[in-house]
Amino acid sequence: SVRLEGESTVYTMESIKLYDGDKRTSFHDGTIEVTSHRILWSKSGTVLSLPLVTVGRCHYEEGGFLRSDKITFHFNNEEGSAFTRIGGKSNMEDLHRNIEIAIREQKWMVMPVKRPVKKEIRSGLAGIEKKIQQKSKNDDQKISKAFQDLDRLIDMAKPMVELSKSIATKLKDK
């Protein structure tokens, strides 16, 4: 999958199942990659992304004799009842610990540091005019980038919103 700016891999694990709340799905035996910004599940070219910014909290559940260990994710939303799970047979505690670290560090909030630009000294009206034009150009670029970042975040959050609405509807129907 395409990396986001400043995104790095934190932890990877194979043979992971995805659950829709408590229900099993057809997404099994995939690879989970925890990054500084997202949790990615992939198998045979299919990639599902969960932005860490949408996760309100997560907790680990130890499995039993016939049950796999699971990690439950509760989402940041108005209803507060939407959740999903991932399951696996081994090292789930390590996976959970790395997910919690990635969420706690909030690296998706950190903007990359840019080196200072060498300042040009100008004097007179032409210098002031040039400085105002340059500042206006820089401001326009920053605003444009902010909207691109916002659009990208909205696009990443749409599947999670759909999933949480689906789960909420299913819960209401019960």
Side-chain angles (χ1 to χ4, degrees):
S1 82
V2 177
R3 292 280 177 209
L4 302 175
E5 188 175 343
E7 184 176 31
S8 60
T9 300
V10 175
Y11 194 79
T12 304
M13 181 182 273
E14 296 183 0
S15 300
I16 298 294
K17 299 177 207 169
L18 297 183
Y19 294 82
D20 181 3
D22 288 323
K23 297 177 186 156
R24 292 180 186 211
T25 67
S26 60
F27 301 105
H28 53 84
D29 295 325
T31 299
I32 280 282
E33 180 180 1
V34 179
T35 75
S36 53
H37 293 56
R38 305 176 284 174
I39 297 172
L40 303 168
W41 181 93
S42 61
K43 180 182 178 183
S44 305
T46 300
V47 178
L48 301 176
S49 172
L50 174 62
L52 292 176
V53 70
T54 65
V55 178
R57 62 186 169 88
C58 69
H59 64 272
Y60 169 77
E61 300 171 33
E62 189 172 343
F65 179 64
L66 296 174
R67 292 182 55 232
S68 62
D69 294 353
K70 292 181 182 62
I71 299 172
T72 302
F73 300 95
H74 297 272
F75 300 114
N76 292 323
N77 63 10
E78 297 97 36
E79 294 145 17
S81 60
F83 70 97
T84 191
R85 287 187 171 147
I86 59 175
K89 299 241 183 243
S90 63
N91 296 326
M92 292 297 287
E93 285 183 271
D94 288 341
L95 177 60
H96 177 250
R97 185 174 29 76
N98 281 284
I99 291 169
E100 284 195 323
I101 290 169
I103 291 170
R104 191 170 38 250
E105 288 179 347
Q106 295 186 354
K107 288 189 177 177
W108 61 88
M109 300 290 287
V110 178
M111 298 301 287
V113 176
K114 294 184 180 177
R115 298 184 188 272
V117 179
K118 182 180 175 185
K119 292 196 176 186
E120 211 174 295
I121 299 174
R122 293 196 177 263
S123 60
L125 291 176
I128 293 170
E129 203 171 80
K130 176 103 175 165
K131 187 176 180 182
I132 290 171
Q133 288 174 348
Q134 185 63 40
K135 183 171 178 1
S136 177
K137 182 180 172 185
N138 289 344
D139 290 346
D140 288 348
Q141 288 174 343
K142 288 177 184 177
I143 290 169
S144 176
K145 178 145 177 46
F147 278 109
Q148 288 173 355
D149 290 347
L150 182 60
D151 288 342
R152 199 175 334 148
L153 182 61
I154 289 170
D155 288 343
M156 288 180 359
K158 283 180 184 178
M160 291 300 109
V161 170
E162 296 290 326
L163 178 62
S164 67
K165 285 180 182 177
S166 168
I167 292 168
T169 302
K170 290 176 185 176
L171 289 173
K172 287 178 186 177
D173 292 342
K174 284 186 177 182

